[in-house]
């Protein structure tokens, strides 16, 4: 009888553990202060297999669709060594492609790894004095600061280097990027994630109210509408946020989803000149921030762009005016946009692979290629 039961018992542990990771993914992915759209990823290592979020999938959807893809750890290690592309466990059956951060998850020795674009962490990770500031807040934890490095194998190598001789490290702060938390199981890792969040929490600044009379006039133009999230107006009405935005790109997702140059409109511009100004300066952007007035959204804005914009305003509202910031360098932004920091390295031609898992990421990569071409030549 034992023999009959045994085969059913063998896969029980992996099934249960993968289910725990899906539950954790859905919880973490549903918190806009941790994850925006398809960014962030989570993984678990079980019997030589790494179960990791697929590229382009949303962690928030983990309970309603397949978002995890299995990859052979040994194969990934070999790919890292050779600098080759990482493929799913059975690529003939599996249409999902593993996250670009698969290499990073693989080099970490911990069974469970969670990577999030935590708003509170990013607000520290964009500061030049970030490492010193975090020493005070994370001092007694096993943590490391990783200066900005491009996603994929380069980031994995930096993390691996940092962990040499410090194998106990289970918190990594990624400069101009986000947070990585590790643990022996889902429960422990999630607990540590919320402990780090608690320590890094910043209260967002209050901001002046929008000028709805002027915004109402802009709403008369076809395709422009009021945001459904009030805090977005801060990008137009809060002078500190505006100043920060004018400085450049703070992290890859900002460039990928919202463009290299923020669509800012001067306050004195007559409403009648609004469309003329936009057409001259930008390809129709997903949003526009009117200085001292507020923000308006384009009706064609995607959910991923919206989630990224909501995240961006949360970061700028948590950043002090006196903080000296490290913006992404021009070459770093160009690399992000040409290779796709969170998607794939292939630029897709319009109409190709429209429904594939990484479609959102690739389409934005394409969007920005056009968007930035305009801004580069001007
Ligand atoms: Zn990331």
């Amino acid at each position: 009888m034992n023999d009959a039961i045994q085969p059913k018992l063998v896969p029980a542990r992996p099934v249960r553990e993968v289910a725990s990771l899906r539950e954790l993914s859905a919880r973490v992915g549903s918190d806009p202060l941790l994850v925006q759209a398809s960014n962030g990823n989570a993984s678990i290592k079980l019997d030589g297999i790494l179960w990791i979020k697929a590229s382009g999938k949303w962690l928030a959807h983990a309970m309603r669709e397949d978002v995890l893809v299995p990859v052979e750890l040994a194969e990934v290690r070999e790919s890292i060594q050779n600098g080759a592309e990482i493929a799913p466990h059975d690529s003939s059956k599996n249409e999902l492609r593993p996250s670009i951060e698969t290499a990073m998850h693989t080099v970490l020795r911990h069974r469970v790894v969670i990577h999030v674009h935590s708003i509170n962490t990013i607000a520290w990770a964009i500061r030049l004095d970030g490492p010193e500031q975090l020493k005070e807040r994370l001092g007694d934890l096993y943590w490391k600061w990783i200066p900005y490095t491009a996603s994929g194998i380069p980031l994995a190598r930096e993390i691996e280097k940092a962990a040499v001789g410090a194998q106990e490290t289970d918190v990594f702060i990624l400069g101009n990027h986000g947070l990585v938390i590790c643990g022996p199981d889902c429960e422990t890792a999630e607990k540590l994630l919320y402990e780090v969040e608690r320590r890094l929490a910043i209260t967002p600044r209050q901001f002046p109210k929008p000028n709805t009379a002027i915004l109402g006039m802009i709403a008369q133009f076809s395709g422009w509408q009021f945001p459904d999230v009030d805090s977005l107006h801060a990008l137009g009405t809060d002078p500190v946020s505006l100043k920060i935005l004018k400085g450049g790109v703070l992290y890859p997702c900002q460039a990928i989803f919202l463009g290299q140059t923020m669509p800012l409109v001067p306050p004195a511009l007559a409403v009648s000149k609004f469309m003329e100004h936009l057409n001259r300066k930008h390809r129709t952007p997903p949003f526009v921030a009117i200085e001292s007035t507020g923000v308006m959204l384009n009706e064609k804005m995607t959910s991923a762009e919206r989630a990224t914009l909501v995240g961006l305003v949360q970061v700028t509202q948590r950043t002090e005016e006196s903080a000296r910031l490290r913006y992404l360098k021009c070459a770093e932004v160009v690399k992000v946009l040409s290779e796709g920091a969170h998607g794939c390295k292939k630029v897709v031609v319009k109409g190709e692979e429209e429904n594939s898992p990484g479609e959102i990421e690739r389409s934005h990569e394409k969007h920005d290629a056009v968007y930035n071409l305009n801004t580069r030549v001007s």
Side-chain angles (χ1 to χ4, degrees), residues 39-41 101 104 115-117 151 155 174 177-178 253 342:
N39 69 33
N41 32 71
E101 303 297 14
M104 173 180 80
H115 165 48
V116 287
H117 290 191
S151 285
L155 180 57
L174 310 183
H177 183 163
C253 278
H342 299 266

Side-chain angles (χ1 to χ4, degrees), residues 27-28 31 34 190-198:
R27 273 195 301 276
V28 168
D31 184 347
L34 292 176
E190 194 174 2
K191 233 165 117 180
L192 181 58
L193 168 64
Y194 288 110
E195 174 57 17
V196 172
E197 276 297 296
R198 188 186 66 75

